[in-house]
């Protein structure tokens, strides 16, 4: 199966974290792509009308998106402990945490887009709203950090860890750790996992070349 991929996409990284956690990363053929939202990437639109990454393309031509659906699909390919818990309470908690992590990513992507927009088009009010939403989310996660630390790693942990990592990658000067020691300590345990180490963000310096992921 092929995964349309970028080293800078938080949603892609969440999928890759899950792929490593469940031991299927070696089965993914990585197809590096650049998506800007201002250009049509025919290769992806041909299988996903929204042209977004991640998109997973199975060998039979079936396309799977978006990242929550891809993660759940990958979680069905192994016999180990599930990243999407089966028990109702645990599943709801995991899905809620995934929604929080994904919403943080959505907010950071909007924020990044605004900062990249040339003045005077760039919207200071929109940036202020994004910063405020992130501060609220981070404060909430600081309070929830003991629960994150006490529960087995699942899709919610993967999403929140990836979102925090993206905040550091794109907005390091914001210093999200400051005043949030419990969340920072939990994040360090996420960053130390082999699945996180194998999937760190980076900015490509050369043109994308197709490669196969090592699991
Ligand atoms: N909800 C989607 C979001 C995916 C997404 O927005 N990906 C961005 C890259 S980080 C993208 O493909 N943007 C290109 C576009 O919107 O045309 C998911 O979870 O997979």
């Amino acid at each position: 199966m092929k995964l349309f991929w970028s080293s800078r996409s938080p949603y892609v990284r969440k999928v890759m974290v899950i792929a490593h956690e469940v031991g299927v990363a070696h089965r993914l053929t990585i197809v590096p792509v650049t998506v800007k939202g201002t250009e049509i990437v025919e290769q992806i639109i041909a299988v996903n009308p929204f042209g977004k990454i991640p998109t997973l393309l199975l060998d039979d031509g079936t396309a799977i998106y978006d990242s929550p659906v891809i993660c759940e699909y990958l979680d069905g390919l192994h016999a180990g402990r599930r990243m999407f818990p089966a028990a109702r309470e645990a599943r709801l908690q995991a899905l809620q945490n995934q929604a929080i992590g994904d919403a943080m990513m959505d907010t950071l992507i909007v924020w990044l887009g605004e900062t990249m927009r040339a003045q005077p088009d760039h919207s200071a009010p929109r940036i202020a709203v994004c910063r405020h939403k992130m501060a609220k989310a981070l404060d909430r996660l600081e309070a929830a950090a003991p629960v994150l630390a006490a529960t087995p790693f699942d899709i919610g942990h993967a999403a929140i860890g990836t979102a925090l990592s993206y905040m550091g990658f794109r907005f390091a000067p914001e210093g999200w750790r400051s005043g949030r020691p419990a969340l920072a300590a939990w994040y360090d345990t996420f960053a130390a996992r082999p699945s996180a180490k194998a999937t760190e963000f980076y900015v490509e310096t050369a043109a994308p070349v197709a490669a196969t992921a090592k699991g």
Side-chain angles (χ1 to χ4, degrees):
M1 44 193 169
K2 288 183 185 162
L3 182 71
F4 292 104
W5 173 99
S6 159
S7 65
R8 291 167 292 171
S9 164
Y11 312 97
V12 168
R13 185 173 182 207
K14 181 186 67 174
V15 163
M16 291 305 298
V17 165
I18 292 297
H20 282 274
E21 288 287 339
V22 304
V24 302
H26 64 286
R27 293 171 60 183
L28 297 174
T29 300
I30 299 302
V31 182
V33 285
T34 302
V35 290
K36 294 181 181 156
T38 50
E39 285 166 16
I40 288 173
V41 183
E42 207 43 68
Q43 198 185 8
I44 309 173
I45 292 221
V47 294
N48 170 355
F50 305 103
K52 288 181 185 276
I53 55 170
T55 293
L56 183 69
L57 189 58
L58 304 187
D59 295 345
D60 69 0
T62 305
I64 298 182
Y65 49 87
D66 52 3
S67 65
V69 187
I70 299 172
C71 289
E72 188 141 9
Y73 176 79
L74 296 180
D75 199 31
L77 298 181
H78 70 109
R81 193 181 62 76
R82 297 288 153 156
M83 295 288 107
F84 288 76
R88 181 178 158 77
E89 289 263 315
R91 181 175 170 84
L92 275 178
Q93 185 62 63
L95 293 179
Q96 180 65 78
N97 283 340
Q98 175 173 225
I100 291 169
D102 286 1
M104 290 166 75
M105 296 176 204
D106 295 345
T107 305
L108 292 169
I109 294 276
V110 170
W111 185 350
L112 185 67
E114 286 303 329
T115 60
M116 291 165 95
R117 210 185 289 276
Q119 294 273 12
D121 289 340
H122 125 173
S123 165
R126 185 164 290 155
I127 289 174
V129 167
C130 290
R131 183 180 276 115
H132 184 73
K133 286 181 181 177
M134 285 305 298
K136 288 287 181 192
L138 290 164
D139 289 345
R140 207 169 159 146
L141 289 176
E142 171 67 10
V147 178
L148 284 177
T151 45
F153 190 90
D154 63 27
I155 182 62
H157 297 78
I160 289 171
T162 302
L164 292 173
S165 170
Y166 194 67
M167 179 100 195
F169 174 58
R170 290 301 198 188
F171 296 96
E174 295 288 323
W176 71 260
R177 289 169 166 267
S178 173
R180 300 184 185 103
L183 186 58
W186 174 77
Y187 173 75
D188 288 342
T189 68
F190 167 81
R193 295 180 80 85
S195 62
K197 288 190 162 178
T199 58
E200 282 171 4
F201 294 116
Y202 61 90
V203 177
E204 299 96 340
T205 47
V209 187
T212 303
K214 299 276 179 266

